[in-house]
């Protein structure tokens, strides 16, 4: 008789946002007139820039002409996009060869799929709180997880210490959900630890485009030695509003080499290539043309304007919390604001209170891990008007 993957039994049944949606739907059904403001889910709201839209349209038309029609493309992505990504990295002083860049349909797939190339025996080290995908994808393949506490004492930026244990070190900076971002010096400590312990850092740079401050790396590869111990994931989702358009990329440096149990040198770059060629047939040509346009001067200008708009919301939220003397993290190099629930309240209780009394929806910190128990995530992806209205209600309530 067939047996299913029983590791799935270890995963919490209700995904965080499903429970949030469920509670909001119940409230909405009971109060049909309520003007609910959603500062919860981390999705962009502003439309794609015109450079991207033009490129998408042009590529769609090409697909309808015999001369320019394209079928299957390279699994790793078209050279025109891989070169554009390499040029983007060069702006931060990181030199990449195009065959170290793998284009995909987004960072969620890649951060989940990367588990394929690592042995099940590895221990994954994941910060708590965390973007849930890192934990769930490791649980799905039966891997042991250790959690690194991210809390107020370490500014939600855990660093390696004598107790640190792990082979796959997940780092997300700027962080979802806490908005905290590692400095260059702090990341260098992780790189040095990983090299000493033969670990691999899986670095998620999905929010790098929100970095405002100097000294915060946009890429782990800005740190010397990182190419020998790290893989990086990034995405156009938050950089250029591609959450519904879908395009991401993963950097697997060729300098990263790991010895097998019999002493043979293995290349994660070659393995990821093999994995992608086997299980993935490439990102759509049309989307890759749109992504290429996002990296042009006009594309970047338009993307930056949207990010600036969101960051004004982050400031509106931060100013209100500061006025109310509520402790918070993030909102400076990140679209996320991680606030302490007033009066030491539990995060789901605060969720219900905010929904019931202010009709504002956020995300309970407990959904991201035990250290999120008394915290709450607000996002800056709403309109200026809705964010200002939510904060006015907040101001009256607390
Ligand atoms: N990584 C982090 C930390 C995220 O917060 C998200 C989306 O919210 C993703 C990856 C997923 O990005 P993508 O839309 O490229 O799949």
């Amino acid at each position: 008789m067939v047996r299913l993957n029983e590791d799935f039994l270890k995963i919490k049944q209700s995904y965080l946002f499903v429970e949030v949606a469920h509670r909001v739907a119940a409230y909405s059904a009971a109060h049909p007139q309520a003007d609910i403001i959603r500062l919860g889910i981390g999705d962009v709201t502003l439309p794609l820039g015109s450079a991207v839209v033009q490129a998408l349209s042009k590529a769609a038309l090409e697909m309808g002409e015999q001369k320019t029609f394209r079928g299957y493309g390279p699994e790793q992505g078209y050279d025109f996009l891989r070169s554009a990504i390499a040029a983007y990295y060069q702006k931060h002083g990181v030199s990449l060869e195009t065959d170290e860049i793998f284009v995909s349909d987004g960072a969620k797939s890649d951060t989940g799929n990367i588990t394929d190339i690592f042995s099940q025996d590895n221990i994954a080290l994941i910060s708590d709180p965390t973007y849930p995908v890192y934990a769930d994808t490791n649980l799905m393949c039966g891997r042991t997880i250790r959690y690194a506490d991210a809390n107020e004492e370490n500014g939600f930026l855990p660093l390696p210490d004598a107790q640190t244990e792990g082979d796959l070190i997940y780092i997300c900076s700027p962080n979802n959900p806490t908005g905290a971002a590692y400095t260059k010096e702090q990341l260098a400590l992780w790189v040095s630890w990983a090299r000493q312990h033969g670990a691999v850092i899986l670095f998620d740079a999905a929010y790098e485009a929100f970095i405002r401050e100097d000294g915060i790396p946009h890429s782990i590869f800005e740190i010397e030695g990182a190419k020998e111990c790290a893989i990086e994931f990034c995405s156009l989702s938050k950089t250029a509003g591609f959450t519904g358009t879908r395009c991401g990329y993963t950097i697997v440096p060729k300098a990263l080499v790991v010895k097998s149990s019999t002493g043979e040198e293995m290349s994660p770059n070659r393995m990821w290539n093999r994995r992608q060629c086997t299980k993935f047939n490439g990102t759509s040509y049309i989307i890759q043309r749109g992504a290429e346009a996002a990296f042009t001067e006009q594309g970047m200008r338009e993307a930056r304007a949207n990010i600036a708009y969101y960051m004004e919301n982050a400031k509106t939220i931060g100013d209100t919390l500061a006025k109310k003397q509520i402790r918070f993290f993030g909102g400076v190099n990140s679209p996320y604001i991680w606030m302490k629930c007033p009066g030491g309240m539990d995060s789901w209780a605060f969720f219900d209170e905010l929904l019931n009394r202010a009709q504002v929806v956020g995300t309970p910190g407990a959904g991201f891990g035990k250290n999120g128990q008394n915290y709450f995530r607000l996002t800056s992806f709403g309109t200026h008007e809705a964010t200002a209205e939510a904060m006015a209600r907040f101001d009256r309530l607390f």
Side-chain angles (χ1 to χ4, degrees):
M1 198 171 107
V2 70
R3 284 189 57 204
L4 294 177
N5 179 351
E6 293 179 16
D7 289 322
F8 275 63
L9 295 171
K10 298 179 200 148
I11 304 166
K12 273 195 246 130
Q13 277 314 309
S14 168
Y15 187 62
L16 172 60
F17 295 110
V18 176
E19 179 60 23
V20 167
H22 176 72
R23 291 194 191 199
V24 175
Y27 181 85
S28 203
H31 307 86
Q33 310 301 332
D35 170 24
I36 297 173
I37 301 178
R38 288 158 213 274
L39 298 185
I41 296 180
D43 196 356
V44 296
T45 51
L46 293 171
L48 297 169
S50 64
V52 169
V53 173
Q54 276 165 27
L56 291 172
S57 312
K58 180 168 175 274
L61 292 175
E62 280 176 40
M63 295 298 266
E65 296 289 335
Q66 184 65 68
K67 272 207 330 243
T68 47
F69 169 78
R70 309 228 188 181
Y72 289 123
E75 290 89 344
Q76 307 82 355
Y78 283 100
D79 269 345
F80 62 76
L81 180 54
R82 295 170 102 190
S83 301
I85 295 168
Y88 182 67
Y89 271 73
Q90 198 63 62
K91 289 185 191 151
H92 298 300
V94 175
S95 298
L96 297 174
E97 289 177 44
T98 50
D99 60 358
E100 296 178 303
I101 301 167
F102 297 84
V103 176
S104 72
D105 64 349
K108 187 193 245 186
S109 327
D110 286 359
T111 50
N113 293 333
I114 199 76
T115 57
D116 276 8
I117 69 165
F118 292 99
S119 159
Q120 202 169 328
D121 306 337
N122 289 307
I123 292 173
L125 181 70
I126 298 174
S127 68
D128 175 335
T130 181
Y131 174 53
V133 172
Y134 312 145
D136 286 353
T137 54
N138 277 288
L139 289 173
M140 279 177 190
C141 60
R143 197 168 282 130
T144 302
I145 299 178
R146 298 267 186 276
Y147 288 97
D149 284 324
N151 50 35
E152 272 194 46
E153 288 72 57
N154 56 29
F156 288 95
L157 295 167
L159 291 171
D161 61 26
Q163 275 76 52
T164 301
E165 189 189 5
D167 306 298
L168 297 172
I169 314 296
Y170 284 80
I171 299 180
C172 175
S173 178
N175 190 269
N176 178 12
T178 69
Y182 282 102
T183 63
K184 196 163 189 179
E185 292 71 27
Q186 290 171 322
L187 274 186
L189 294 174
W190 275 116
V191 168
S192 146
W193 188 91
R195 293 181 58 144
Q196 266 169 32
H197 293 80
V200 170
I201 295 174
L202 301 175
F203 189 78
D204 188 339
Y207 297 95
E208 63 80 23
F210 289 78
I211 293 173
R212 290 284 169 280
E213 293 181 319
D214 292 337
I216 308 287
H218 289 247
S219 162
I220 187 85
F221 303 122
E222 290 177 50
I223 312 297
E224 212 182 306
K227 280 192 181 165
E228 282 94 57
C229 69
I231 290 173
E232 179 162 303
F233 309 93
C234 200
S235 162
L236 284 150
S237 281
K238 309 296 158 68
T239 304
F242 269 55
T243 52
T245 307
R246 312 302 307 142
C247 192
Y249 47 94
T250 290
I251 315 294
V252 191
K254 287 184 281 189
L256 173 61
V257 176
V258 179
K259 285 235 168 76
S260 75
S261 47
T262 54
E264 201 181 323
E265 288 199 336
M266 295 181 78
S267 158
N269 176 284
R270 280 206 295 274
M271 290 169 74
W272 183 245
N273 188 41
R274 187 74 172 83
R275 189 265 171 219
Q276 290 297 78
C277 289
T278 304
K279 295 194 184 180
F280 182 61
N281 247 342
T283 305
S284 142
Y285 168 72
I286 299 170
I287 300 303
Q288 291 192 63
R289 280 296 186 198
E292 178 193 29
F295 288 108
T296 61
E297 216 178 294
Q298 186 194 343
M300 278 287 125
R301 197 170 50 247
E302 291 173 339
R304 273 198 300 268
N306 286 2
I307 289 175
Y309 180 94
Y310 296 134
M311 292 312 279
E312 275 188 50
N313 289 336
K315 183 164 175 352
T316 303
I317 297 170
D319 287 349
T320 306
L321 297 181
K323 180 178 159 200
K324 296 273 139 189
Q325 295 186 329
I326 294 172
R327 195 146 165 68
F328 70 97
F329 295 79
V332 178
N333 297 303
S334 150
Y336 297 118
I337 290 97
W338 182 247
M339 59 168 282
K340 198 158 188 178
C341 302
M345 213 184 270
D346 162 83
S347 66
W348 277 109
F350 182 64
F351 173 89
D352 289 333
E353 168 129 342
L354 204 57
L355 177 60
N356 283 292
R357 295 185 52 207
Q359 292 75 53
V360 172
V361 180
T363 312
F368 299 102
K370 73 173 173 38
N371 289 327
Q373 193 79 35
N374 300 108
Y375 292 86
F376 202 70
R377 193 192 72 173
L378 296 173
T379 77
S380 55
F381 290 120
T383 62
H384 284 169
E385 296 72 22
T387 307
E389 170 59 21
M391 287 302 107
R393 292 183 197 174
F394 200 93
D395 196 7
R396 287 196 291 275
L397 195 60
F398 297 102

